[in-house]
């Protein structure tokens, strides 16, 4: 066994992910927040925009669910663990910073996928038909990785005060929802809105979900998938690089 | 002897403050090495650099043959850490904490379970292994993190104030465990404020003050090295007239205190020889003969005071 080898580090990242799921995700309030937060946002918009079809809004709900759940807890894990000194425990164990970040990403990816499956089931229960199931599954997997990387990116500032990070997190996440074609179709967006939407990975995921349920889309599916893949790689590499830099400042 | 820790010019700067200032030392295999210093001297910062938690700004640290900056994972695989404040996951049970450590150190599951049972039994927590750590007392938490640090059978153990604020029972249990571990070959790097603990446990001590190493030696040598003038206490089986002892070789002053004589000297060895010769010549027997070394507390205070900037 080479403790520093790639496969061994991935195994240890999985141990961190299991720990995260036990401690941070499998809690009643977290699970309830994961389901209710996007649901209430959706209901609020459903009441306010009766002219939009249900299929459009359900697609948005699926997009929001994955985005909010995959980024809900992960930004606060490092501040929590920094405060409790458990981060120092991890830092003195034979695991790289990359493995710690990967572990946190795996946990938020799984949490995001789990909650999103519930919203997909809600959509199906409300009468929508799934036209492109395999594409939807692939997109959910890819987007969950991408959004969990965003979640970890939000945790980069080396503070051990969770509320600071959650404030920053909300400041970035909510505007992103409004420019990503969830509530306003991309076709109806002004040019400046569309220009902003291009830089949001949520745009591409929502576009694929819409395609999966309604067979309509703004970008070609290949572009959506490729964009999500590029965002995932870039965010993952950047978040690991930045955490490696800032980790000692948390100790 | 093989050095398991080699620190060379280790330096850490926080803003304008130099927390650790070019310190160098080695810890040999099988040693219990005490690291002493007043609050804010740089002990914890040094330990954190040695354990790879924070990077040094200058200098190198080689742990078990691996540079902690170049091969951190390989170095960390060989040592265990017991910090001052318990950092077990309080939302997990003791058993889950042990299993997590097993996975982080790459132990096969059956081995991790066997070791966990043994270690939790050894620290008296086996019966409460399925209880969440948040319900544990401070002593129980400290015993748990010691068990967690020992799970992978490390060759080297770092302990930062392991008995600070603990009850007598937990303190004795931890100290006894450390002695046993050391007997079995584990090298121990112990940061402590407790002079008595350091005096009884450690083979060598390093004293750090304001980020600089001020002394490094065996406890007894440190105690004697701080005073050039030594004290010897002697008593005879019959009365010795005043001023008799002051003429002996090596004796600077001789004062009667009860039935004993307290002698000051710059040369302990020559003075003891001349006292023995004196007793033989006068046909009197020496009842007691003690060299009065300063306590480690005195040595510590003197050394840290002298090094004060």
């Amino acid at each position: 066994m080479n403790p520093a080898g790639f496969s061994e580090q991935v195994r240890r990242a999985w141990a961190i992910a299991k720990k995260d799921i036990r401690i941070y995700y499998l809690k009643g309030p977290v699970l309830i927040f994961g389901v209710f937060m996007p649901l209430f946002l959706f209901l609020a918009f459903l009441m306010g925009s009766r002219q939009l079809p249900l299929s459009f809004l359900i697609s948005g709900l699926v997009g929001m669910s994955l985005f909010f759940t995959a980024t809900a807890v992960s930004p606060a894990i490092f501040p929590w663990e920094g405060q409790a000194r458990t981060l120092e425990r991890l830092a003195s164990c034979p695991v790289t910073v990359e493995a710690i970040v990967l572990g946190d990403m795996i946990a938020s990816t799984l949490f995001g996928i789990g909650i999103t499956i519930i919203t997909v089931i809600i959509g199906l229960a409300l009468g929508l038909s799934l036209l492109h199931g395999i594409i939807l599954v692939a997109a959910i997997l890819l987007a969950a990785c991408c959004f969990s990387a965003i979640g970890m990116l939000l945790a980069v500032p080396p503070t051990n005060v969770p509320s600071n990070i959650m404030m920053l997190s909300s400041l970035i996440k909510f505007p992103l929802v409004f420019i990503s074609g969830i509530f306003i179709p991309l076709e109806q967006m002004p040019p400046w809105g569309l220009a902003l939407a291009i830089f949001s990975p949520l745009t591409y995921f929502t576009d694929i979900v819409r395609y999966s349920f309604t067979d309509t889309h703004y970008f070609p599916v290949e572009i959506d998938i490729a964009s999500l893949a590029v965002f995932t790689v870039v965010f993952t590499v950047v978040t690991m690089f930045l955490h490696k830099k800032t980790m000692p400042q948390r100790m | 002897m093989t050095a398991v820790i080699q620190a060379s010019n280790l330096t850490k700067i926080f803003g304008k403050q130099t927390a650790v200032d070019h310190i160098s030392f080695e810890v040999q295999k099988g040693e219990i090495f005490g690291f002493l210093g007043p609050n804010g001297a740089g002990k914890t910062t040094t330990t954190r650099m040695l354990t790879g938690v924070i990077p040094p700004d200058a200098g190198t640290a080689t742990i078990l043959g691996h540079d902690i900056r170049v091969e951190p994972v390989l170095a960390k695989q060989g040592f265990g850490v017991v910090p001052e404040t318990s950092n077990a996951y309080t939302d997990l049970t003791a058993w889950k904490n042990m299993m997590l450590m097993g996975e982080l150190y790459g132990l096969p599951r059956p081995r991790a379970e066997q070791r966990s049972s043994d270690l939790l039994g050894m620290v008296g927590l086996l019966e409460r292994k399925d209880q969440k750590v948040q319900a544990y007392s401070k002593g129980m938490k400290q015993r748990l993190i010691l068990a967690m640090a020992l799970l992978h059978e490390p060759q080297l153990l770092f302990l930062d104030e392991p008995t600070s604020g603990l009850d007598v029972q937990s303190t004795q249990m931890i100290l006894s465990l450390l002695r046993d571990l050391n007997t079995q070959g584990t090298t121990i790097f112990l940061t402590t404020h407790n002079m008595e603990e350091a005096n009884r446990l450690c083979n060598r001590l390093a004293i750090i003050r304001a980020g600089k190493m001020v002394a490094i030696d065996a406890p007894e040598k440190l105690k004697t090295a701080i005073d050039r003038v030594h004290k010897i206490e002697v008593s005879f089986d019959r009365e010795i007239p005043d001023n008799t002892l002051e003429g002996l070789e090596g004796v600077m002053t001789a004062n009667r205190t009860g039935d004993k004589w307290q002698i000051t000297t710059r040369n302990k060895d020559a003075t003891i020889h001349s006292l023995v010769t004196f007793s033989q010549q006068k046909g009197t027997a020496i009842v007691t003969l003690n060299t009065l070394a300063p306590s480690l507390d005195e040595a510590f205070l003197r050394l840290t005071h002298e090094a004060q900037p």
Side-chain angles (χ1 to χ4, degrees):
Chain A
M1 175 191 74
N2 173 16
F6 179 76
S7 60
E8 192 54 41
Q9 286 298 308
V10 171
R11 200 168 295 143
R12 293 175 192 197
W14 173 238
I16 292 169
K18 285 192 291 181
K19 175 267 296 175
D20 285 349
I21 290 168
R22 279 194 191 105
I23 296 176
Y24 305 111
Y25 290 96
L26 291 183
K27 297 264 160 87
V30 175
L31 291 170
I32 289 166
F33 176 82
V35 175
F36 279 88
M37 171 75 173
L39 188 64
F40 282 126
L41 268 175
F42 159 78
L43 287 175
F45 227 76
L46 180 67
M47 287 174 204
S49 338
R50 291 177 191 278
Q51 73 276 19
L52 289 171
L54 184 70
S55 59
F56 175 85
L57 288 173
I58 288 285
S59 304
L61 172 68
V62 172
M64 268 195 304
S65 293
L66 185 55
F67 182 64
F68 275 111
T69 52
T71 57
V73 181
S74 52
I77 290 180
F78 272 17
W80 277 329
E81 296 220 358
Q83 241 177 17
R85 299 244 173 234
T86 47
L87 195 59
E88 190 167 332
R89 149 85 43 203
L90 290 181
S92 63
C93 285
V95 282
T96 57
V97 173
E98 290 87 341
I100 299 174
V101 173
L102 179 64
D104 289 351
M105 279 178 60
I106 292 170
S108 66
T109 299
L110 293 177
F111 181 61
I113 290 170
I115 298 290
T116 305
I117 286 170
I118 296 171
T119 55
V120 169
I121 292 168
I122 291 173
L124 295 174
L126 288 173
L128 292 189
S129 41
L130 189 55
L131 306 173
H132 303 284
I134 293 171
I135 299 242
L136 181 65
V137 168
I140 289 174
L141 292 176
L142 196 54
C145 295
C146 181
F147 298 156
S148 65
I150 294 176
M152 287 309 293
L153 203 54
L154 294 169
V156 162
T159 171
N160 286 341
V161 183
S163 56
N164 289 352
I165 287 294
M166 294 317 271
M167 202 163 62
L168 172 76
S169 171
S170 302
L171 218 62
I172 292 170
K173 274 159 51 179
F174 280 95
L176 218 56
V177 168
F178 286 96
I179 61 153
S180 300
I182 286 178
F183 300 123
I184 306 161
L186 291 174
E187 300 84 5
Q188 295 174 19
M189 273 194 177
W192 62 266
L194 204 56
L196 286 174
I198 288 169
F199 295 102
S200 164
L202 186 54
T203 303
Y204 304 100
F205 177 61
T206 312
D207 202 36
I208 296 177
V209 178
R210 201 147 287 151
Y211 170 72
S212 304
F213 281 122
T214 65
D215 210 19
T216 58
H217 50 91
Y218 186 82
F219 298 110
V221 174
E222 296 79 17
I223 295 288
D224 286 330
I225 295 276
S227 304
L228 274 178
V230 169
F231 274 117
T232 305
V233 171
V234 169
F235 287 146
T236 304
V237 170
V238 170
T239 195
M240 285 182 176
F241 174 78
L242 293 177
H243 275 296
K244 204 164 181 164
K245 290 262 173 212
T246 58
M247 182 69 91
Q249 295 168 43
R250 295 179 185 278
M251 304 300 170
Chain B
M1 289 271 257
T2 325
V4 291
I5 299 176
Q6 288 172 299
S8 173
N9 283 314
L10 218 49
T11 304
K12 188 70 192 174
I13 301 163
F14 295 115
K16 290 178 180 174
Q17 179 76 29
T18 304
V20 176
D21 194 358
H22 295 89
I23 63 167
S24 300
F25 61 92
E26 285 189 356
V27 177
Q28 304 301 326
K29 189 174 164 51
E31 262 192 310
I32 299 185
F33 186 85
F35 199 54
L36 309 178
N39 290 333
K43 300 188 298 293
T44 300
T45 304
T46 304
T47 310
R48 283 175 164 182
M49 284 192 283
L50 294 175
T51 52
V53 172
I54 55 171
D57 291 317
T60 57
T62 305
I63 312 295
L64 299 162
H66 303 285
D67 187 318
I68 194 70
R69 294 196 76 176
V70 182
E71 299 174 310
V73 172
L74 295 178
K76 290 172 186 179
Q77 187 70 32
F79 63 73
V81 183
V82 178
E84 182 183 3
T85 317
S86 165
N87 57 8
Y89 285 96
T90 53
D91 284 331
L92 296 180
T93 63
W95 186 257
K96 293 273 184 217
N97 269 290
M98 295 296 281
M99 290 302 108
L100 173 62
M101 283 301 111
E103 288 181 273
L104 292 178
Y105 283 91
L107 261 64
R109 184 79 180 189
R111 178 80 185 132
E113 287 179 348
Q114 183 60 52
R115 286 280 301 158
S116 298
S117 284
D118 294 347
L119 287 165
L120 289 176
M122 197 166 76
V123 298
L125 294 174
L126 191 57
E127 285 181 4
R128 299 179 72 171
K129 71 181 173 69
D130 295 321
Q131 195 173 5
K132 281 190 177 177
V133 174
Q134 61 200 12
Y136 279 19
S137 68
K138 186 176 180 182
M140 289 164 73
K141 284 180 186 167
Q142 204 66 10
R143 282 183 271 149
L144 172 63
I145 60 167
L146 180 59
M148 286 162 70
L150 294 173
L151 187 72
H152 61 295
E153 297 175 89
Q155 304 167 54
L156 169 64
L157 192 59
F158 287 94
L159 299 111
D160 190 357
E161 306 276 354
T163 59
S164 171
L166 297 191
D167 58 48
V168 179
Q169 189 191 15
S170 294
T171 301
Q172 289 309 317
M173 178 182 275
I174 287 175
L175 295 182
S176 162
L177 262 174
L178 294 183
R179 272 191 215 97
D180 292 347
L181 284 167
N182 184 246
T183 309
Q184 290 156 24
T186 308
T187 308
I188 293 172
F189 183 93
L190 174 73
T191 301
T192 182
H193 271 123
N194 189 325
M195 296 298 146
E196 184 52 31
E197 196 171 281
N199 192 27
R200 281 195 289 151
L201 274 179
C202 300
N203 303 105
R204 281 196 308 145
L205 295 174
I207 295 178
I208 185 172
R209 174 74 176 86
K212 290 192 165 111
M213 198 72 96
V214 292
I216 180 164
D217 216 327
E220 292 307 314
K221 286 186 185 166
L222 274 181
K223 289 179 208 169
T224 51
I226 60 161
D227 265 335
R228 287 194 187 143
V229 177
H230 306 280
K231 287 179 186 162
I232 296 172
E233 204 172 65
V234 62
S235 65
F236 300 94
D237 67 346
R238 72 172 72 149
E239 197 66 21
I240 303 293
D242 288 351
N243 304 326
T244 316
L245 296 178
E246 280 182 349
L248 296 178
E249 188 192 345
V251 175
M252 289 166 63
T253 61
N255 297 308
R256 189 195 292 269
T257 53
D259 63 340
K260 294 180 279 292
W261 289 87
Q262 207 166 71
I263 294 166
T264 58
T265 174
R266 286 186 192 281
N267 187 341
K268 263 194 307 191
D269 184 59
T271 307
I272 290 169
H273 275 107
S274 55
L275 285 170
V276 172
T277 310
F278 169 81
S279 72
Q280 286 167 345
Q281 285 172 351
K282 300 289 178 189
T284 175
I286 293 175
V287 178
T288 57
L289 179 68
N290 297 314
T291 55
L292 303 177
S295 69
L296 193 57
D297 277 330
E298 287 172 307
F300 176 79
L301 287 172
R302 187 81 66 86
L303 285 164
T304 53
H305 179 73
E306 278 173 5
Q308 214 161 6

